[in-house]
Amino acid sequence: MDNCIFCKIINKEIPSTVVYEDDRVLAFKDIQPVAPVHVLIVPKKHIPSVKDIQPGEEGYLVDIHKAAVKIAQELGIAENGFRLINNCGKGGGQTVFHLHYHLIGGAELGAKLI
Ligand code: 5GP
Ligand code: ZN
């Protein structure tokens, strides 16, 4: 989709630090990390947000969760624990309208909202 920064990252029109890629999802480091590990996991198909997922697209949520666990294991944060966050809509804190999950870890995150 034109003017979508994450589509441009997926198409390698904008550089990013990729940590995982398969035919369905891409994962790359967040440009403004809030923890030692802060990775964004996105479907390669442009879906604006989790509430826009159409019938037949739900599999992306499984793909994203599977990728998150794999990345967490590879980056050494799986055992201690991590957080997987989706912000949905402007009021939910979403600023980039291409579905994405934040994988955050490498620190004691505690019982915070974010
Ligand atoms: P949201 O607020 O939509 O849940 O999260 C968007 C995230 O995308 C933010 O954490 C922000 O730092 C990240 N981000 C925005 N633009 C870029 C970019 O060009 N490259 C990368 N790697 N991350 C970005
Ligand atoms: Zn997009």
Side-chain angles (χ1 to χ4, degrees):
M1 150 115 10
D2 291 348
N3 287 327
C4 171
I5 197 150
F6 288 176
C7 281
K8 287 181 179 160
I9 287 174
I10 290 162
N11 294 329
K12 311 279 158 67
E13 294 164 27
I14 291 179
S16 72
T17 305
V18 172
V19 299
Y20 176 82
E21 180 167 18
D22 63 29
D23 58 336
R24 304 255 303 165
V25 304
L26 181 74
F28 51 94
K29 290 186 179 178
D30 195 292
I31 205 166
Q32 287 187 297
V34 299
V37 173
H38 188 170
V39 170
L40 300 172
I41 309 170
V42 307
K44 286 192 169 176
K45 181 173 187 177
H46 182 84
I47 300 169
S49 78
V50 75
K51 68 178 162 48
D52 299 304
I53 291 174
Q54 301 298 310
E57 295 177 341
E58 302 92 339
Y60 283 114
L61 299 177
V62 175
D63 299 331
I64 288 167
H65 278 75
K66 282 184 171 175
V69 172
K70 198 178 284 190
I71 295 161
Q73 287 168 340
E74 282 172 5
L75 297 183
I77 61 167
E79 194 176 338
N80 191 45
F82 56 86
R83 183 166 289 155
L84 196 57
I85 297 172
N86 170 254
N87 296 326
C88 181
K90 190 167 161 283
Q94 187 175 6
T95 59
V96 177
F97 289 86
H98 180 127
L99 175 64
H100 56 279
Y101 279 71
H102 299 253
L103 170 62
I104 295 168
E108 293 301 319
L109 300 174
K112 292 178 284 189
L113 274 177
I114 56 168

